[in-house]
Amino acid sequence: MKALIEKNKEYIVDIIDNGFEGEGIAKINNFTVFIPNAIKGEQIKILIVKVLSSHAFGKILEIIMPSSKRIESDCETYKRCGGCSLRHIQYEETLQMKQNAVQSLVNKMLKNKIQVQPVIGMKNPYHYRNKAQYPVGLNRNGEPVMGVFANRTHEIIPIHNCLIQNQKTEEVAKFIFDYILKNKISVYNEKNQRGLIRHIVTKIGVKTNEIMCILVINGKEIPKEKELVLEVTSHFPEVKTIVKNINQKNTNVILGEENINMYGSGTIEDQLGQYTFKISPLSFYQVNPIQAERLYQVGVDLAKITREDIVFDLYCGIGTISLFMSQFAKKVYGIEIVKEAVEMAKENVIRNQIDNVEFIAGDVELVLNDLIHVQKIIPDVVMMDPPRKGLDHKSIENILLIKPKRIVYISCNPATLVRDLAKLEEIYDIESIRPVDMFPFTSHVECVVAMFLK
């Protein structure tokens, strides 16, 4: 069927809703149009930039009637970088939008049309990220540049002051980049896969102020390596370790598998709640630890763990929520596929003097199968925090087979969360869905769901 709208034509539209990425939604002759940076309730003049069979995309030419929720953005580059796609909207309104987005999925896909609870927001939603990944490369003029990739491209936009990154680690990254420029160290060229420095990655323990620097390189050695270490550590005593990460593959994956310590132990520490965690270059640690504490507390509270309970923590990472649950449970088994993360988890258990947690490295599907069918260990509570793709079919089968009394599902992707809940709701009552704003001013939302066996 031929679309009733035309590319490169201008239209005046009313924005009737916002989509899952925060984009505005309009209808032209009952044909759906998505418009980035538009807000529900606005009237806007748009230009149609792309037309597909089922929908089209437009861009704002003029805001005729702005929403009362619209604010002047405090960032020069947010429209281009795409990191904070909701930066033009009042923060409280972004929380409402995220709640509505999750509710819409629930209403479409679940039999139980449970009311999604209000989103737990941040008191100060700025400079919250403890990890930054700055690509280093060449601009259009062939000059070295460090910053962030423009949205949906590999063009690097220089960043002057990112309002979601930690200010100290941004300062450290800029210092390292200046050193690279002054010493004429080559930077990576994606077109011919030549040049040395690919990324500057920083991590910080927000409670300890310990900083890790990771230089991702297309080679093995960095010119003037010792001088670089001396310069960085003398200017920034908070930097406790500097690591070379070797990545010589033609890939979009940032970190390679080999790490070489240039300075320090290759790890830093941070604190979540009453526990201390060791963090390595490759191990996953929540990017917003302030909200992570709140997320984990909600999850543990909803799990209603008792001293008689055996708990499975699926996709446990470096064991953060496993340790949170250990104080209430008889025994916790943490399962994680990333071996380095499991090594960190085991060290975290020793560091925190905990004796009722066991970590297992391996694919969740296979390890879960072994625990249940071979070792005959049946959990009372299952806590799970899978990647964006959600749960695999076999894991859902095993959960439905053993029927733990309580399940807490933490998800970073509402679409796959609700898809999985639809497979579980015949046997489980969904008691609550509580979103947590882990990434303020972005379209992302984390959810904690509590389920109880019927």
Side-chain angles (χ1 to χ4, degrees):
M1 177 179 142
K2 190 175 184 301
L4 299 175
I5 64 173
E6 297 175 30
K7 184 179 177 181
N8 297 325
K9 190 172 179 181
E10 296 178 9
Y11 296 87
I12 292 174
V13 298
D14 294 320
I15 306 301
I16 58 173
D17 206 350
N18 283 99
F20 295 114
E21 298 292 326
E23 71 279 20
I25 299 173
K27 295 277 189 180
I28 301 173
N29 297 324
N30 212 31
F31 195 77
T32 302
V33 184
F34 297 106
I35 306 113
N37 304 313
I39 306 173
K40 182 179 179 180
E42 292 186 325
Q43 188 175 71
I44 290 177
K45 180 189 281 188
I46 65 169
L47 177 72
I48 299 297
V49 295
K50 189 174 185 180
V51 180
L52 302 175
S53 60
S54 60
H55 58 276
F57 296 92
K59 73 173 184 178
I60 296 174
L61 296 177
E62 179 189 349
I63 300 173
I64 297 167
M65 188 176 72
S67 165
S68 61
K69 309 299 183 183
R70 180 175 287 277
I71 56 174
E72 192 65 38
S73 170
D74 48 9
C75 175
E76 300 171 14
T77 56
Y78 94 100
K79 285 186 181 179
R80 292 191 65 206
C81 100
C84 302
S85 58
L86 306 182
R87 205 138 212 117
H88 57 292
I89 305 172
Q90 291 174 7
Y91 180 59
E92 290 301 320
E93 180 64 15
T94 69
L95 301 182
Q96 185 63 56
M97 286 170 63
K98 293 180 184 190
Q99 181 183 351
N100 293 345
V102 179
Q103 187 68 60
S104 176
L105 285 168
V106 167
N107 293 346
K108 285 177 184 174
M109 298 178 69
L110 296 184
K111 292 177 182 176
N112 176 10
K113 312 299 183 189
I114 183 171
Q115 179 63 43
V116 175
Q117 295 181 18
V119 181
I120 299 174
M122 280 194 87
K123 290 179 181 176
N124 178 22
Y126 297 91
H127 303 294
Y128 55 81
R129 288 184 63 93
N130 62 6
K131 176 185 176 184
Q133 302 177 138
Y134 299 103
V136 179
L138 300 172
N139 64 16
R140 291 173 180 174
N141 300 322
E143 301 161 333
V145 62
M146 180 197 82
V148 294
F149 286 125
N151 195 22
R152 294 187 172 87
T153 78
H154 270 215
E155 178 192 351
I156 299 173
I157 307 169
I159 289 292
H160 304 294
N161 175 30
C162 180
L163 294 164
I164 63 173
Q165 296 291 5
N166 181 278
Q167 290 165 295
K168 178 58 71 173
T169 60
E170 187 177 81
E171 194 181 334
V172 172
K174 287 176 179 175
F175 182 89
I176 293 172
F177 182 65
D178 285 342
Y179 182 91
I180 290 165
L181 294 179
K182 286 175 190 171
N183 290 277
K184 296 182 170 55
I185 299 170
S186 68
V187 301
Y188 189 64
N189 183 340
E190 276 196 344
K191 291 179 180 176
N192 60 20
Q193 288 98 57
R194 293 179 182 172
L196 186 65
I197 308 294
R198 298 179 67 143
H199 274 81
I200 299 170
V201 180
T202 58
K203 296 186 178 188
I204 185 169
V206 295
K207 297 278 182 67
T208 62
N209 287 317
E210 294 184 0
I211 295 174
M212 172 191 294
C213 300
I214 306 164
L215 298 177
V216 184
I217 61 173
N218 178 39
K220 294 284 185 181
E221 300 295 332
I222 300 173
K224 299 186 178 180
E225 200 169 283
K226 290 181 180 177
E227 293 92 330
L228 170 61
V229 168
L230 190 61
E231 286 273 332
V232 172
T233 54
S234 59
H235 277 82
F236 301 98
E238 307 96 325
V239 174
K240 300 303 179 186
T241 192
I242 304 175
V243 178
K244 277 188 300 190
N245 177 269
I246 313 303
N247 187 353
Q248 295 178 282
K249 295 179 180 177
N250 181 15
T251 174
N252 289 335
V253 177
I254 292 172
L255 294 177
E257 294 176 4
E258 183 182 359
N259 292 303
I260 301 169
N261 294 345
M262 298 162 61
Y263 172 77
S265 66
T267 62
I268 57 172
E269 289 187 345
D270 197 16
Q271 293 171 331
L272 270 184
Q274 68 196 71
Y275 302 109
T276 301
F277 293 94
K278 190 173 278 192
I279 303 159
S280 67
L282 296 179
S283 60
F284 173 78
Y285 184 68
Q286 287 285 2
V287 168
N288 184 343
I290 293 168
Q291 288 294 87
E293 279 193 22
R294 303 180 79 182
L295 177 83
Y296 291 160
Q297 196 56 60
V298 169
V300 170
D301 289 348
L302 290 174
K304 295 183 171 67
I305 301 165
T306 74
R307 273 291 170 200
E308 302 304 312
D309 286 337
I310 292 172
V311 181
F312 284 2
D313 181 12
L314 313 185
Y315 312 94
C316 67
I318 60 171
T320 43
I321 201 164
S322 296
L323 268 61
F324 270 67
M325 294 188 293
S326 67
Q327 59 190 306
F328 306 107
K330 180 180 180 181
K331 178 81 180 235
V332 179
Y333 293 88
I335 307 168
E336 169 62 50
I337 195 168
V338 180
K339 290 181 181 177
E340 184 177 324
V342 173
E343 291 307 311
M344 289 291 103
K346 290 177 179 177
E347 288 190 38
N348 290 331
V349 164
I350 296 167
R351 176 76 174 75
N352 291 281
Q353 300 180 327
I354 294 170
D355 60 6
N356 65 335
V357 178
E358 181 181 330
F359 290 106
I360 305 165
D363 186 288
V364 166
E365 178 183 340
L366 300 176
V367 175
L368 191 59
N369 214 48
D370 178 72
L371 286 172
I372 294 165
H373 300 294
V374 180
Q375 299 188 47
K376 306 296 183 185
I377 300 170
I378 306 300
D380 301 286
V381 179
V382 170
M383 175 76 68
M384 46 200 181
D385 187 358
R388 292 189 64 79
K389 65 181 180 180
L391 294 171
D392 61 83
H393 180 68
K394 187 65 178 177
S395 293
I396 290 177
E397 270 189 359
N398 276 325
I399 288 166
L400 291 174
L401 183 68
I402 58 173
K403 298 183 178 65
K405 291 179 284 188
R406 300 181 296 286
I407 297 175
V408 175
Y409 190 150
I410 297 174
S411 169
C412 60
N413 184 349
T416 54
L417 166 69
V418 175
R419 178 203 69 197
D420 293 344
L421 294 182
K423 298 172 184 176
L424 295 167
E425 69 172 336
E426 290 296 327
I427 293 176
Y428 284 89
D429 280 323
I430 301 169
E431 185 187 58
S432 64
I433 301 176
R434 189 72 194 262
V436 179
D437 195 25
M438 298 290 286
F439 303 99
F441 294 111
T442 77
S443 59
H444 299 291
V445 62
E446 204 102 355
C447 291
V448 187
V449 179
M451 291 173 275
F452 293 84
L453 194 61
K454 290 183 177 179

